[in-house]
Amino acid sequence: MAVTEPAPAPPLAAHEGILRRQSLRESAARTYARSLPIVPVRARGLTIEGADGRRYLDCLSGAGTLALGHNHPVVLEAIKKVLDSGAPLHVLDLATPVKDAFVTELFSTLPREFADNARVQFCGPAGTDAVEAAFKLVRAATGRSGLLAFAGAYHGMTAGALAASGGAEDVRVTRLPFPQEYRCPFGIGGEAGARTAAHWTENLLDDPKSGTPAPAGMILEPVQGEGGVNPAPDGWMRRMREITETRSIPLIADEVQTGVGRTGAFWAVEHSGIVPDVMVLSKAIGGSLPLAVIVYRSELDTWQPGAHAGTFRGNQLAMAAGTATLAYVRENGLAERAGVLGGRMLASLRSLAADHPCVGDVRGRGLMIGVEIVDPEARPQGTGTEPPPDPVLAAAVQQECLSRGLIVELGGRYSTVVRLLPPLTLTDEQATAVVDRLADALAAAERSPHRRLPTGSLR
Ligand code: PMP
């Protein structure tokens, strides 16, 4: 009797093999790789090319890192120059001409009033390490230990930064309401919502029975990024500055994601004109390579030598790439450009929302844009008047974007905010292509039957 051999499995394409090995070998905690099964092999500007030959418009941009997009010529040139010079690549925190140039360029971009009396501390190369450094600094300077942080915040994954992020529990962190317009914690939104949020904060600090001891500092994001693209109103930012200043509480602006032109100003604190006591900077300042610093008012510089050490605080290539990036953004007015183009994209997306009931809200500042996906047919839950978020539909939108060659991230409390963080070098045509692809993806996701979560299953 003839035995029929099973047909051999077709050979996996190279990129499929890579993806398969990744899923077998890498951690269950991996993140972006789960929803973006692509294998980038080449990239330039907004575009990434996968090993399968497909091209994608990258609106994730290294989670907001790539101010100039991928492999910008000025960045590559700066890196090559260091390599060709024979300069050491690893120098701990020693002084070098490359570092000197970086600090000079960085300080020239910072608000004058702040930079004129500031110090910089080079941190381990992730934003989260700089957040830890900021907390240590203000604790040493004030002798206090508590912190004020905001609901929905994201500051990183190391213990202290995580504790200050929304959703964490930590006895030393007092959580305050963030004045978001959509899903306002007070159900009123607008200026009244922001005023109430500020009043709440002030009352908490002044009420001797609030259970909130004088804190070492307040940390805030001028636009909450991972929390779902929630811009803080300028008036509220100024109130936070007044409230902290009059009570001698150092104000820490976490500009890890909002910095380097992203929101339409070089630094997002410039929108409100406030001068914080500490700025936490990372992502774009390294020109696509890892770099993180805190810059702070000199009077706070009371911590001891070695108070915040770390082996990798002297990445020369990142400093050179960062210097080139900062200078390019400054010289080419890319912050202003981000403001104008972002405004145009927000307007197009808002007009799109009229045809797509699943778009609950479109918001952002500059090229930090969020589109919140909701279930328009479901009744509002709990205290909200807005339709509930729809994580399943949002995931479908992300996949439909990917299949149309558009890479977007999901953020927000329930991963229902489609986030756009394109490079500041985005052209008008590219901006139109991004919006068009997102519009197609929304229509396709709405058409596709997607599993709805049972009511009340949202965390
Ligand atoms: N702060 C903010 C505002 C961030 O957006 C992030 C990262 N998304 C961090 C801190 C942490 O930075 P990193 O991932 O480099 O540790």
Side-chain angles (χ1 to χ4, degrees):
M1 195 173 67
V3 177
T4 323
E5 292 284 333
L12 287 179
H15 74 280
E16 288 171 328
I18 291 171
L19 288 172
R20 212 170 74 85
R21 285 191 292 283
Q22 179 185 44
S23 71
L24 290 174
R25 299 195 291 215
E26 288 191 24
S27 155
R30 68 193 187 281
T31 51
Y32 304 104
R34 288 185 181 281
S35 47
L36 301 170
I38 59 175
V39 181
V41 287
R42 254 179 302 277
R44 189 77 168 198
L46 178 67
T47 307
I48 281 184
E49 191 183 317
D52 57 356
R54 291 199 62 198
R55 289 158 73 87
Y56 301 86
L57 304 183
D58 180 13
C59 282
L60 175 52
S61 296
T65 303
L66 304 168
L68 304 184
H70 292 276
N71 290 327
H72 193 282
V74 300
V75 170
L76 296 183
E77 189 55 40
I79 293 172
K80 277 191 202 129
K81 206 167 144 202
V82 175
L83 289 175
D84 292 345
S85 74
L89 298 180
H90 189 296
V91 289
L92 299 164
D93 67 351
L94 302 185
T96 67
V98 172
K99 182 196 246 188
D100 188 54
F102 172 75
V103 175
T104 302
E105 180 58 43
L106 177 66
F107 275 44
S108 82
T109 68
L110 289 165
R112 178 49 83 70
E113 210 185 323
F114 182 62
D116 278 353
N117 181 34
R119 297 235 162 210
V120 60
Q121 162 77 16
F122 283 82
C123 302
T128 193
D129 191 65
V131 170
E132 300 290 348
F135 292 167
K136 245 184 245 176
L137 175 85
V138 296
R139 282 178 169 142
T142 62
R144 307 175 206 137
S145 68
L147 289 168
L148 305 175
F150 291 87
Y154 183 82
H155 300 294
M157 280 280 159
T158 47
L162 194 59
S165 297
E169 287 172 30
D170 187 294
V171 289
R172 292 200 297 178
V173 177
T174 300
R175 192 84 43 205
L176 300 167
F178 192 82
Q180 57 195 63
E181 177 86 38
Y182 195 70
R183 303 192 196 287
C184 167
F186 303 105
I188 42 183
E191 243 182 63
R195 235 189 350 264
T196 308
H199 184 82
W200 178 290
T201 296
E202 196 162 20
N203 182 64
L204 199 93
L205 290 170
D206 292 347
D207 178 356
K209 296 286 183 192
S210 71
T212 305
M218 171 190 280
I219 184 164
L220 54 74
E221 295 157 87
V223 181
Q224 287 189 339
E226 308 299 326
V229 195
N230 300 310
D234 294 343
W236 178 86
M237 289 284 284
R238 287 190 283 271
R239 284 294 295 135
M240 290 304 107
R241 178 63 285 189
E242 280 164 23
I243 289 171
T244 49
E245 192 156 33
T246 52
R247 292 162 182 82
S248 300
I249 300 168
L251 178 64
I252 305 165
D254 181 343
E255 290 241 29
V256 167
Q257 192 163 142
T258 50
V260 194
R262 168 72 46 200
T263 68
F266 205 103
W267 303 103
V269 289
E270 292 167 26
H271 291 296
S272 59
I274 67 157
V275 179
D277 298 295
V278 186
M279 289 177 73
V280 185
L281 313 176
S282 188
K283 290 197 195 274
I285 63 160
S288 72
L289 297 178
L291 189 62
V293 301
I294 54 171
V295 185
Y296 53 92
R297 200 158 51 80
S298 301
E299 290 76 20
L300 293 172
D301 201 31
T302 61
W303 53 358
Q304 296 302 306
H308 196 75
T311 307
F312 289 109
R313 291 177 299 134
N315 188 333
Q316 301 295 289
L317 294 181
M319 289 175 195
T323 306
T325 300
L326 294 169
Y328 192 89
V329 171
R330 180 173 55 75
E331 286 161 5
N332 292 280
L334 291 191
E336 295 75 22
R337 165 82 183 148
V340 172
L341 194 54
R344 241 183 265 155
M345 288 177 77
L346 277 175
S348 315
L349 290 166
R350 285 191 178 123
S351 63
L352 243 179
D355 300 327
H356 298 280
C358 73
V359 173
D361 192 33
V362 175
R363 55 184 179 261
R365 198 152 202 182
L367 288 174
M368 199 168 170
I369 295 173
V371 177
E372 182 155 344
I373 305 297
V374 299
D375 180 348
E377 283 155 31
R379 287 226 319 269
Q381 291 177 349
T383 53
T385 52
E386 296 90 353
D390 191 337
V392 179
L393 184 56
V397 171
Q398 185 186 37
Q399 290 315 305
E400 294 291 350
C401 283
L402 193 65
S403 67
R404 284 161 180 76
L406 177 64
I407 297 174
V408 296
E409 192 193 358
L410 295 178
R413 307 248 194 317
Y414 309 108
S415 294
T416 49
V417 181
V418 176
R419 301 187 59 207
L420 300 177
L421 291 162
L424 316 184
T425 49
L426 193 73
T427 64
D428 291 352
E429 295 72 30
Q430 287 172 330
T432 305
V434 167
V435 173
D436 286 350
R437 288 185 198 192
L438 180 53
D440 287 350
L442 280 168
E446 279 173 325
R447 277 195 307 272
S448 71
H450 66 280
R451 185 180 58 82
R452 291 189 190 283
L453 291 180
T455 308
S457 64
L458 297 177
R459 277 171 296 125

